[in-house]
PDB file of all heavy atoms in Angstrom:
ATOM      1  N   LYS L 139    -144.271-142.524 -52.240  1.00 97.00           N
ATOM      2  CA  LYS L 139    -144.693-143.774 -52.696  1.00 97.00           C
ATOM      3  C   LYS L 139    -144.718-144.780 -51.621  1.00 97.00           C
ATOM      4  O   LYS L 139    -145.647-145.620 -51.508  1.00 97.00           O
ATOM      5  CB  LYS L 139    -143.694-144.241 -53.833  1.00 97.00           C
ATOM      6  CG  LYS L 139    -143.896-143.419 -55.054  1.00 97.00           C
ATOM      7  CD  LYS L 139    -142.829-143.759 -56.086  1.00 97.00           C
ATOM      8  CE  LYS L 139    -142.866-145.167 -56.620  1.00 97.00           C
ATOM      9  NZ  LYS L 139    -141.807-145.396 -57.698  1.00 97.00           N
ATOM     10  N   ASP L 140    -143.712-144.758 -50.674  1.00 97.00           N
ATOM     11  CA  ASP L 140    -143.686-145.689 -49.612  1.00 97.00           C
ATOM     12  C   ASP L 140    -144.854-145.435 -48.715  1.00 97.00           C
ATOM     13  O   ASP L 140    -145.513-146.372 -48.165  1.00 97.00           O
ATOM     14  CB  ASP L 140    -142.396-145.466 -48.737  1.00 97.00           C
ATOM     15  CG  ASP L 140    -141.244-146.059 -49.515  1.00 97.00           C
ATOM     16  OD1 ASP L 140    -141.294-146.730 -50.509  1.00 97.00           O
ATOM     17  OD2 ASP L 140    -140.042-145.767 -49.080  1.00 97.00           O
ATOM     18  N   TRP L 141    -145.257-144.116 -48.411  1.00 97.00           N
ATOM     19  CA  TRP L 141    -146.451-143.891 -47.513  1.00 97.00           C
ATOM     20  C   TRP L 141    -147.678-144.371 -48.256  1.00 97.00           C
ATOM     21  O   TRP L 141    -148.549-144.991 -47.543  1.00 97.00           O
ATOM     22  CB  TRP L 141    -146.517-142.335 -47.361  1.00 97.00           C
ATOM     23  CG  TRP L 141    -147.623-141.980 -46.482  1.00 97.00           C
ATOM     24  CD1 TRP L 141    -147.755-141.887 -45.104  1.00 97.00           C
ATOM     25  CD2 TRP L 141    -149.016-141.623 -46.999  1.00 97.00           C
ATOM     26  NE1 TRP L 141    -149.023-141.516 -44.765  1.00 97.00           N
ATOM     27  CE2 TRP L 141    -149.821-141.431 -45.857  1.00 97.00           C
ATOM     28  CE3 TRP L 141    -149.522-141.625 -48.255  1.00 97.00           C
ATOM     29  CZ2 TRP L 141    -151.150-141.002 -45.959  1.00 97.00           C
ATOM     30  CZ3 TRP L 141    -150.940-141.185 -48.415  1.00 97.00           C
ATOM     31  CH2 TRP L 141    -151.650-140.957 -47.215  1.00 97.00           C
ATOM     32  N   GLY L 142    -147.764-144.278 -49.563  1.00 96.00           N
ATOM     33  CA  GLY L 142    -148.890-144.798 -50.300  1.00 96.00           C
ATOM     34  C   GLY L 142    -148.968-146.277 -50.130  1.00 96.00           C
ATOM     35  O   GLY L 142    -150.092-146.815 -49.847  1.00 96.00           O
ATOM     36  N   THR L 143    -147.912-146.953 -50.290  1.00 95.00           N
ATOM     37  CA  THR L 143    -147.932-148.422 -50.171  1.00 95.00           C
ATOM     38  C   THR L 143    -148.341-148.953 -48.826  1.00 95.00           C
ATOM     39  O   THR L 143    -149.124-149.734 -48.640  1.00 95.00           O
ATOM     40  CB  THR L 143    -146.444-148.969 -50.481  1.00 95.00           C
ATOM     41  OG1 THR L 143    -146.087-148.577 -51.768  1.00 95.00           O
ATOM     42  CG2 THR L 143    -146.466-150.586 -50.339  1.00 95.00           C
ATOM     43  N   GLN L 144    -147.754-148.148 -47.764  1.00 94.00           N
ATOM     44  CA  GLN L 144    -148.216-148.503 -46.362  1.00 94.00           C
ATOM     45  C   GLN L 144    -149.647-148.326 -46.059  1.00 94.00           C
ATOM     46  O   GLN L 144    -150.258-149.133 -45.276  1.00 94.00           O
ATOM     47  CB  GLN L 144    -147.378-147.605 -45.327  1.00 94.00           C
ATOM     48  CG  GLN L 144    -145.862-147.920 -45.314  1.00 94.00           C
ATOM     49  CD  GLN L 144    -145.140-146.896 -44.673  1.00 94.00           C
ATOM     50  OE1 GLN L 144    -145.711-145.914 -43.999  1.00 94.00           O
ATOM     51  NE2 GLN L 144    -143.820-146.869 -44.805  1.00 94.00           N
ATOM     52  N   ASN L 145    -150.236-147.418 -46.800  1.00 95.00           N
ATOM     53  CA  ASN L 145    -151.707-147.147 -46.579  1.00 95.00           C
ATOM     54  C   ASN L 145    -152.627-147.634 -47.687  1.00 95.00           C
ATOM     55  O   ASN L 145    -153.811-147.223 -47.742  1.00 95.00           O
ATOM     56  CB  ASN L 145    -151.761-145.644 -46.477  1.00 95.00           C
ATOM     57  CG  ASN L 145    -151.194-145.107 -45.081  1.00 95.00           C
ATOM     58  OD1 ASN L 145    -151.867-145.282 -44.015  1.00 95.00           O
ATOM     59  ND2 ASN L 145    -150.068-144.496 -45.175  1.00 95.00           N
ATOM     60  N   LYS L 146    -152.054-148.469 -48.619  1.00 94.00           N
ATOM     61  CA  LYS L 146    -152.801-149.058 -49.711  1.00 94.00           C
ATOM     62  C   LYS L 146    -153.453-148.056 -50.541  1.00 94.00           C
ATOM     63  O   LYS L 146    -154.636-148.144 -50.985  1.00 94.00           O
ATOM     64  CB  LYS L 146    -153.862-150.056 -49.080  1.00 94.00           C
ATOM     65  CG  LYS L 146    -153.262-151.194 -48.250  1.00 94.00           C
ATOM     66  CD  LYS L 146    -154.259-152.044 -47.672  1.00 94.00           C
ATOM     67  CE  LYS L 146    -153.617-153.303 -46.938  1.00 94.00           C
ATOM     68  NZ  LYS L 146    -152.730-152.800 -45.760  1.00 94.00           N
ATOM     69  N   ILE L 147    -152.637-147.078 -50.968  1.00 96.00           N
ATOM     70  CA  ILE L 147    -153.171-146.066 -51.844  1.00 96.00           C
ATOM     71  C   ILE L 147    -152.045-145.883 -52.884  1.00 96.00           C
ATOM     72  O   ILE L 147    -150.913-145.697 -52.664  1.00 96.00           O
ATOM     73  CB  ILE L 147    -153.208-144.606 -51.100  1.00 96.00           C
ATOM     74  CG1 ILE L 147    -154.235-144.713 -49.916  1.00 96.00           C
ATOM     75  CG2 ILE L 147    -153.676-143.610 -52.070  1.00 96.00           C
ATOM     76  CD1 ILE L 147    -154.213-143.433 -49.102  1.00 96.00           C
ATOM     77  N   ALA L 148    -152.486-146.068 -54.183  1.00 95.00           N
ATOM     78  CA  ALA L 148    -151.672-145.880 -55.326  1.00 95.00           C
ATOM     79  C   ALA L 148    -151.514-144.284 -55.621  1.00 95.00           C
ATOM     80  O   ALA L 148    -152.465-143.677 -55.896  1.00 95.00           O
ATOM     81  CB  ALA L 148    -152.157-146.648 -56.526  1.00 95.00           C
ATOM     82  N   ILE L 149    -150.219-143.934 -55.467  1.00 97.00           N
ATOM     83  CA  ILE L 149    -150.076-142.452 -55.573  1.00 97.00           C
ATOM     84  C   ILE L 149    -149.171-142.163 -56.934  1.00 97.00           C
ATOM     85  O   ILE L 149    -148.023-142.735 -57.030  1.00 97.00           O
ATOM     86  CB  ILE L 149    -149.331-141.859 -54.409  1.00 97.00           C
ATOM     87  CG1 ILE L 149    -150.022-142.153 -53.196  1.00 97.00           C
ATOM     88  CG2 ILE L 149    -149.064-140.403 -54.654  1.00 97.00           C
ATOM     89  CD1 ILE L 149    -149.452-141.591 -51.843  1.00 97.00           C
ATOM     90  N   ASP L 150    -149.676-141.406 -57.850  1.00 97.00           N
ATOM     91  CA  ASP L 150    -148.980-140.987 -59.013  1.00 97.00           C
ATOM     92  C   ASP L 150    -148.219-139.765 -58.587  1.00 97.00           C
ATOM     93  O   ASP L 150    -148.824-138.589 -58.398  1.00 97.00           O
ATOM     94  CB  ASP L 150    -149.892-140.743 -60.133  1.00 97.00           C
ATOM     95  CG  ASP L 150    -149.225-140.427 -61.428  1.00 97.00           C
ATOM     96  OD1 ASP L 150    -148.162-140.900 -61.638  1.00 97.00           O
ATOM     97  OD2 ASP L 150    -149.843-139.715 -62.232  1.00 97.00           O
ATOM     98  N   VAL L 151    -146.856-139.790 -58.467  1.00 97.00           N
ATOM     99  CA  VAL L 151    -146.091-138.660 -58.088  1.00 97.00           C
ATOM    100  C   VAL L 151    -145.423-138.048 -59.337  1.00 97.00           C
ATOM    101  O   VAL L 151    -144.690-138.676 -60.043  1.00 97.00           O
ATOM    102  CB  VAL L 151    -144.875-139.081 -57.139  1.00 97.00           C
ATOM    103  CG1 VAL L 151    -144.149-137.828 -56.644  1.00 97.00           C
ATOM    104  CG2 VAL L 151    -145.445-139.931 -55.950  1.00 97.00           C
ATOM    105  N   VAL L 152    -145.877-136.775 -59.513  1.00 96.00           N
ATOM    106  CA  VAL L 152    -145.417-136.030 -60.816  1.00 96.00           C
ATOM    107  C   VAL L 152    -144.469-135.041 -60.339  1.00 96.00           C
ATOM    108  O   VAL L 152    -144.932-133.977 -59.701  1.00 96.00           O
ATOM    109  CB  VAL L 152    -146.636-135.562 -61.456  1.00 96.00           C
ATOM    110  CG1 VAL L 152    -146.144-134.800 -62.835  1.00 96.00           C
ATOM    111  CG2 VAL L 152    -147.644-136.537 -61.816  1.00 96.00           C
ATOM    112  N   MET L 153    -143.310-135.049 -60.707  1.00 96.00           N
ATOM    113  CA  MET L 153    -142.237-134.030 -60.355  1.00 96.00           C
ATOM    114  C   MET L 153    -142.129-132.969 -61.557  1.00 96.00           C
ATOM    115  O   MET L 153    -141.897-133.430 -62.605  1.00 96.00           O
ATOM    116  CB  MET L 153    -140.855-134.630 -59.967  1.00 96.00           C
ATOM    117  CG  MET L 153    -140.930-135.551 -58.890  1.00 96.00           C
ATOM    118  SD  MET L 153    -141.446-134.779 -57.241  1.00 96.00           S
ATOM    119  CE  MET L 153    -139.956-133.726 -56.884  1.00 96.00           C
ATOM    120  N   ILE L 154    -142.477-131.724 -61.221  1.00 93.00           N
ATOM    121  CA  ILE L 154    -142.596-130.775 -62.284  1.00 93.00           C
ATOM    122  C   ILE L 154    -141.540-129.699 -62.164  1.00 93.00           C
ATOM    123  O   ILE L 154    -141.175-129.207 -61.081  1.00 93.00           O
ATOM    124  CB  ILE L 154    -143.930-130.133 -62.162  1.00 93.00           C
ATOM    125  CG1 ILE L 154    -145.102-131.184 -62.323  1.00 93.00           C
ATOM    126  CG2 ILE L 154    -144.217-128.943 -63.123  1.00 93.00           C
ATOM    127  CD1 ILE L 154    -146.472-130.654 -62.131  1.00 93.00           C
ATOM    128  N   ASN L 155    -141.008-129.358 -63.270  1.00 84.00           N
ATOM    129  CA  ASN L 155    -140.177-128.220 -63.446  1.00 84.00           C
ATOM    130  C   ASN L 155    -140.905-126.958 -62.919  1.00 84.00           C
ATOM    131  O   ASN L 155    -142.008-126.620 -63.298  1.00 84.00           O
ATOM    132  CB  ASN L 155    -139.731-127.914 -64.856  1.00 84.00           C
ATOM    133  CG  ASN L 155    -138.878-126.752 -65.167  1.00 84.00           C
ATOM    134  OD1 ASN L 155    -138.832-125.800 -64.311  1.00 84.00           O
ATOM    135  ND2 ASN L 155    -138.148-126.857 -66.259  1.00 84.00           N
ATOM    136  N   GLN L 156    -140.349-126.273 -61.874  1.00 77.00           N
ATOM    137  CA  GLN L 156    -140.993-125.198 -61.236  1.00 77.00           C
ATOM    138  C   GLN L 156    -141.314-124.035 -62.139  1.00 77.00           C
ATOM    139  O   GLN L 156    -142.143-123.201 -61.919  1.00 77.00           O
ATOM    140  CB  GLN L 156    -140.348-124.841 -59.999  1.00 77.00           C
ATOM    141  CG  GLN L 156    -140.388-125.885 -58.810  1.00 77.00           C
ATOM    142  CD  GLN L 156    -139.528-125.642 -57.760  1.00 77.00           C
ATOM    143  OE1 GLN L 156    -139.217-124.444 -57.320  1.00 77.00           O
ATOM    144  NE2 GLN L 156    -139.008-126.612 -57.071  1.00 77.00           N
ATOM    145  N   ASN L 157    -140.496-123.917 -63.321  1.00 71.00           N
ATOM    146  CA  ASN L 157    -140.810-122.916 -64.242  1.00 71.00           C
ATOM    147  C   ASN L 157    -142.206-123.233 -64.921  1.00 71.00           C
ATOM    148  O   ASN L 157    -142.649-122.285 -65.592  1.00 71.00           O
ATOM    149  CB  ASN L 157    -139.722-122.795 -65.267  1.00 71.00           C
ATOM    150  CG  ASN L 157    -138.501-122.181 -64.648  1.00 71.00           C
ATOM    151  OD1 ASN L 157    -138.537-121.218 -63.889  1.00 71.00           O
ATOM    152  ND2 ASN L 157    -137.291-122.621 -65.184  1.00 71.00           N
ATOM    153  N   GLU L 158    -142.636-124.393 -64.849  1.00 82.00           N
ATOM    154  CA  GLU L 158    -143.910-124.806 -65.482  1.00 82.00           C
ATOM    155  C   GLU L 158    -145.000-125.050 -64.538  1.00 82.00           C
ATOM    156  O   GLU L 158    -146.114-125.177 -65.056  1.00 82.00           O
ATOM    157  CB  GLU L 158    -143.535-126.052 -66.316  1.00 82.00           C
ATOM    158  CG  GLU L 158    -142.474-125.936 -67.321  1.00 82.00           C
ATOM    159  CD  GLU L 158    -142.144-127.322 -68.001  1.00 82.00           C
ATOM    160  OE1 GLU L 158    -142.778-128.246 -67.601  1.00 82.00           O
ATOM    161  OE2 GLU L 158    -141.212-127.248 -68.817  1.00 82.00           O
ATOM    162  N   THR L 159    -144.852-124.961 -63.247  1.00 87.00           N
ATOM    163  CA  THR L 159    -145.867-125.341 -62.281  1.00 87.00           C
ATOM    164  C   THR L 159    -147.098-124.436 -62.525  1.00 87.00           C
ATOM    165  O   THR L 159    -148.280-124.891 -62.493  1.00 87.00           O
ATOM    166  CB  THR L 159    -145.364-125.181 -60.844  1.00 87.00           C
ATOM    167  OG1 THR L 159    -144.292-126.120 -60.647  1.00 87.00           O
ATOM    168  CG2 THR L 159    -146.471-125.466 -59.930  1.00 87.00           C
ATOM    169  N   ASN L 160    -146.897-123.194 -62.567  1.00 83.00           N
ATOM    170  CA  ASN L 160    -147.993-122.310 -62.620  1.00 83.00           C
ATOM    171  C   ASN L 160    -148.787-122.304 -63.921  1.00 83.00           C
ATOM    172  O   ASN L 160    -150.007-122.238 -63.882  1.00 83.00           O
ATOM    173  CB  ASN L 160    -147.528-120.873 -62.417  1.00 83.00           C
ATOM    174  CG  ASN L 160    -146.732-120.724 -61.081  1.00 83.00           C
ATOM    175  OD1 ASN L 160    -147.367-120.785 -60.049  1.00 83.00           O
ATOM    176  ND2 ASN L 160    -145.438-120.656 -61.159  1.00 83.00           N
ATOM    177  N   GLN L 161    -148.150-122.638 -65.096  1.00 87.00           N
ATOM    178  CA  GLN L 161    -148.910-122.869 -66.265  1.00 87.00           C
ATOM    179  C   GLN L 161    -149.772-124.165 -66.158  1.00 87.00           C
ATOM    180  O   GLN L 161    -150.895-124.152 -66.650  1.00 87.00           O
ATOM    181  CB  GLN L 161    -147.938-123.009 -67.454  1.00 87.00           C
ATOM    182  CG  GLN L 161    -147.211-121.723 -67.907  1.00 87.00           C
ATOM    183  CD  GLN L 161    -145.953-121.401 -67.131  1.00 87.00           C
ATOM    184  OE1 GLN L 161    -145.779-122.003 -66.201  1.00 87.00           O
ATOM    185  NE2 GLN L 161    -145.134-120.489 -67.759  1.00 87.00           N
ATOM    186  N   LYS L 162    -149.200-125.135 -65.586  1.00 93.00           N
ATOM    187  CA  LYS L 162    -149.844-126.416 -65.413  1.00 93.00           C
ATOM    188  C   LYS L 162    -151.060-126.225 -64.393  1.00 93.00           C
ATOM    189  O   LYS L 162    -152.103-126.794 -64.507  1.00 93.00           O
ATOM    190  CB  LYS L 162    -148.935-127.550 -64.964  1.00 93.00           C
ATOM    191  CG  LYS L 162    -147.897-127.903 -66.004  1.00 93.00           C
ATOM    192  CD  LYS L 162    -147.138-129.104 -65.516  1.00 93.00           C
ATOM    193  CE  LYS L 162    -146.107-129.457 -66.591  1.00 93.00           C
ATOM    194  NZ  LYS L 162    -146.697-129.886 -67.912  1.00 93.00           N
TER     195      LYS L 162
END
Side-chain angles (χ1 to χ4, degrees):
K139 290 170 66 176
D140 288 347
W141 180 88
T143 300
Q144 292 164 13
N145 290 283
K146 300 181 175 61
I147 302 172
I149 304 181
D150 188 29
V151 185
V152 182
M153 298 301 288
I154 297 175
N155 181 335
Q156 291 171 30
N157 285 325
E158 301 173 359
T159 298
N160 301 287
Q161 289 90 340
K162 292 186 181 299

